[in-house]
Amino acid sequence: MKIFSSDQIREIDRKTIETEGVTSLQLIERVAEGVAVEVVSRLKANSRIAIFAGSGNNGADALMAALMLYEQGYKPEVFLFNIGGDKLGKDCATCRDRLLSAFPEADFTEVVKQFNRPHLDRNYIVVDGLFGTGLREALTGGFRELTKFISDSGATVISIDMPSGMFADWNPNAVTRNMVHATVTLGVQFPHLAFFFAENAPIVGEWKTIDIGLSAREIRKTQAAFYLIERADVKRLLRPRAPFSSKVDFGSALLVAGSYGMMGAAILAARGCLRSGVGKVTVFSPRCGYESVQTAVPEAMFAASNSDITIGEIHASHPYTAIAIGPGIGTSEATTNALEKFLTLHDKPLVLDADALNCIARRQTLLNHVPVHSILTPHAGEFDRIFGQQPNSEARLVKAIEIARMHNIIIVLKGHHTAIVRPDGLVYFNSSGSPALATAGSGDVLTGVIASFMAQGYTPEIAALLGVYIHGMAGELASETFGTYGVTATDIANNVGRALNSLGY
């Protein structure tokens, strides 16, 4: 799914009206229907409804939702903010008139000057239709106080399209206190970029989208810089296996992983790699890892480094189709030197994770030797150690886009919506996964999964996308058995095959 800017969505909306015989009021009715359904689904025996409508299109959506609720026998309190008395947009005025014409007895207040706050408490369902994506500058004065009032009320808050006070795309200097904190945000047709940043989660709450039937043709034509990876995308990209396949057809992966006390990382990466369908896996580790790897993962081969406890040199004895470096290797001087020497001699894309990234953080010049189209898989802490401390996930993504372009690499920025940042500037957010993935060793499994898809001949961009999504699905499946709290990285690795199977492979 494409993630458009707010300006692009407005243009698609306009073109839909122009070319498909749809009126703006019909689109408003479609939004309102989705809002009304959400309100009704959350009603309890003692619930009350309050609707706050602004003067623009977002307010029109809210007023139309109020009309639909009245038609169903509910009696929401409606507050329309028409400060000065002449600020209503055409559609907003029409929706107001339709509501009052159909239900002249409606509990309706048009706020022109002073606003007397109603009583709100936890029994209320509040519809926030104040500003949506039409906001152009931060809220001040009375509207800022109104957002605080709504947020502090304890009510269940349903925001239409965007929580009022938040911008749909970027919020670099946002004061979250001055925004409505929604329980659920109903994006109109598409999610917005702001939904995918961790710091915005308390404001956005749960998010859903309302399909209002915008022009499929215009959606296809409109270019986007951001995408959401969905199940259908992954099914389309995965290749079916021919009946006469052999392991040779599915590549050979080398995992440079493990050190004394950290062999579990190597084992988890190997399990993730094998469960993703690679033909052969070799674990390259210190000699101390021989027995543990051969016992825990008998399907993997073992190649010993020149040291008993750390990796002091890295070499590929065969023409492997993918190489991943990092899980559990440590950051000793000898290991950092070995990584540097290998990077200067190797020119094919690699997967670099965990301690490989920490070695780069210790010796920044290593970044200049990373082969183009390599995949780096940092979590927030690893990213900041390499590229500088970032104030939030939005700033981190902006920096990742810059770095990916500069070094012609792919950055898998791990998080709830892991972002795959490509060197061409495109960003793909992952839609699979759950908090169950937040467990030690989860990233090691992901490294193995991505390396497996690279070994099977997928491009680094596609391998990263497939790996992240399948890894997320495996976490979801594991949590069905063990619960969100109880999932371990071994459970994730063991469910990678089930994840692929659920997609038909």
Side-chain angles (χ1 to χ4, degrees):
M1 177 190 292
K2 294 177 178 178
I3 302 170
F4 295 114
S5 70
S6 55
D7 288 340
Q8 286 178 311
I9 294 173
R10 273 189 284 275
E11 182 63 13
I12 294 170
D13 191 298
R14 186 182 67 80
K15 290 286 184 66
T16 300
I17 293 169
E18 283 184 1
T19 62
E20 303 209 353
V22 179
T23 67
S24 59
L25 281 173
Q26 286 174 318
L27 295 180
I28 288 168
E29 287 171 353
R30 295 172 188 177
V31 175
E33 184 177 356
V35 174
V37 167
E38 186 67 28
V39 170
V40 171
S41 73
R42 292 175 178 270
L43 287 174
K44 299 177 182 178
N46 58 345
S47 292
R48 301 184 67 180
I49 306 168
I51 295 178
F52 292 83
S55 59
N57 289 340
N58 201 242
D61 297 333
L63 293 173
M64 185 64 72
L67 172 59
M68 292 181 177
L69 289 168
Y70 268 104
E71 288 173 341
Q72 295 176 56
Y74 302 103
K75 297 180 178 180
E77 303 166 42
V78 183
F79 301 90
L80 170 61
F81 289 81
N82 182 18
I83 305 302
D86 60 351
K87 305 295 184 182
L88 296 188
K90 179 182 176 182
D91 287 336
C92 189
T94 300
C95 292
R96 175 197 60 186
D97 296 344
R98 284 179 60 174
L99 170 63
L100 295 179
S101 175
F103 297 95
E105 75 285 4
D107 188 348
F108 177 87
T109 302
E110 186 164 344
V111 181
V112 177
K113 290 184 180 179
Q114 187 173 351
F115 173 53
N116 296 318
R117 295 178 178 180
H119 169 75
L120 295 180
D121 58 34
R122 60 186 300 177
N123 294 321
Y124 268 83
I125 295 176
V126 170
V127 175
D128 163 30
L130 291 169
F131 290 103
T133 61
L135 198 65
R136 287 290 179 256
E137 57 186 29
L139 296 180
T140 59
F143 281 119
R144 182 177 63 190
E145 295 306 311
L146 178 58
T147 62
K148 292 179 183 179
F149 168 66
I150 293 172
S151 298
D152 292 342
S153 68
T156 296
V157 181
I158 300 171
S159 287
I160 302 175
D161 214 12
M162 285 296 298
S164 291
M166 172 174 278
F167 300 117
D169 305 321
W170 303 100
N171 291 266
N173 301 305
V175 179
T176 58
R177 177 70 177 145
N178 299 333
M179 302 173 183
V180 168
H181 286 52
T183 308
V184 60
T185 300
L186 303 177
V188 177
Q189 191 77 44
F190 310 100
H192 296 288
L193 180 61
F195 292 0
F196 297 94
F197 299 122
E199 59 272 15
N200 294 340
I203 298 98
V204 174
E206 178 189 3
W207 63 263
K208 305 176 181 179
T209 57
I210 302 171
D211 186 350
I212 63 168
L214 293 182
S215 169
R217 180 174 178 272
E218 292 301 324
I219 292 170
R220 284 194 302 271
K221 282 173 50 180
T222 305
Q223 298 296 313
F226 302 94
Y227 293 80
L228 181 64
I229 306 164
E230 298 182 290
R231 181 184 181 91
D233 302 318
V234 174
K235 286 194 69 170
R236 185 173 63 252
L237 291 169
L238 282 167
R239 298 191 293 255
R241 297 196 158 185
F244 288 88
S245 300
S246 77
K247 64 185 178 184
V248 176
D249 299 312
F250 304 122
S252 178
L254 178 69
L255 304 177
V256 180
S259 59
Y260 184 78
M262 293 292 290
M263 289 311 304
I267 290 167
L268 290 167
R271 286 174 174 167
C273 197
L274 286 161
R275 289 291 186 185
S276 307
V278 70
K280 294 182 289 183
V281 172
T282 300
V283 176
F284 185 93
S285 282
R287 287 188 287 266
C288 67
Y290 173 73
E291 290 186 4
S292 58
V293 171
Q294 294 285 266
T295 302
V297 197
E299 301 91 345
M301 294 176 285
F302 187 89
S305 179
N306 61 352
S307 168
D308 288 335
I309 62 173
T310 62
I311 291 176
E313 48 87 31
I314 301 172
H315 63 84
S317 57
H318 300 288
Y320 297 97
T321 48
I323 299 175
I325 306 175
I329 64 174
T331 59
S332 69
E333 189 72 11
T335 299
T336 305
N337 289 338
L339 177 61
E340 181 171 37
K341 183 176 180 181
F342 184 81
L343 291 177
T344 58
L345 297 175
H346 192 83
D347 61 356
K348 293 182 180 178
L350 303 167
V351 182
L352 299 174
D353 179 41
D355 282 333
L357 302 177
N358 291 327
C359 287
I360 292 172
R362 286 165 54 89
R363 191 176 297 174
Q364 295 278 329
T365 54
L366 294 184
L367 192 61
N368 298 323
H369 301 299
V370 173
V372 298
H373 293 286
S374 289
I375 302 170
L376 277 61
T377 63
H379 56 58
E382 291 163 343
F383 184 90
D384 288 2
R385 283 195 285 273
I386 300 173
F387 303 114
Q389 191 68 35
Q390 305 300 317
N392 53 40
S393 61
E394 179 180 299
R396 195 167 293 114
L397 180 63
V398 171
K399 186 68 174 179
I401 293 169
E402 173 193 332
I403 295 298
R405 284 186 185 275
M406 181 186 304
H407 292 280
N408 201 9
I409 57 176
I410 298 154
I411 298 178
V412 174
L413 197 53
K414 294 186 287 195
H416 176 55
H417 290 292
T418 292
I420 300 162
V421 185
R422 302 189 348 178
D424 59 5
L426 298 182
V427 176
Y428 290 78
F429 292 103
N430 187 41
S431 65
S432 69
S434 79
L437 292 166
T439 186
S442 176
D444 303 322
V445 177
L446 175 61
T447 297
V449 175
I450 293 174
S452 176
F453 286 118
M454 278 186 65
Q456 293 173 61
Y458 293 94
T459 66
E461 290 85 354
I462 300 302
L465 188 152
L466 293 176
V468 167
Y469 188 88
I470 296 299
H471 177 260
M473 281 192 69
E476 291 177 19
L477 291 169
S479 68
E480 290 176 4
T481 302
F482 300 103
T484 302
Y485 281 67
V487 169
T488 68
T490 296
D491 302 325
I492 298 169
N494 289 342
N495 277 279
V496 167
R498 287 185 63 209
L500 285 161
N501 186 56
S502 73
L503 292 166
Y505 292 94

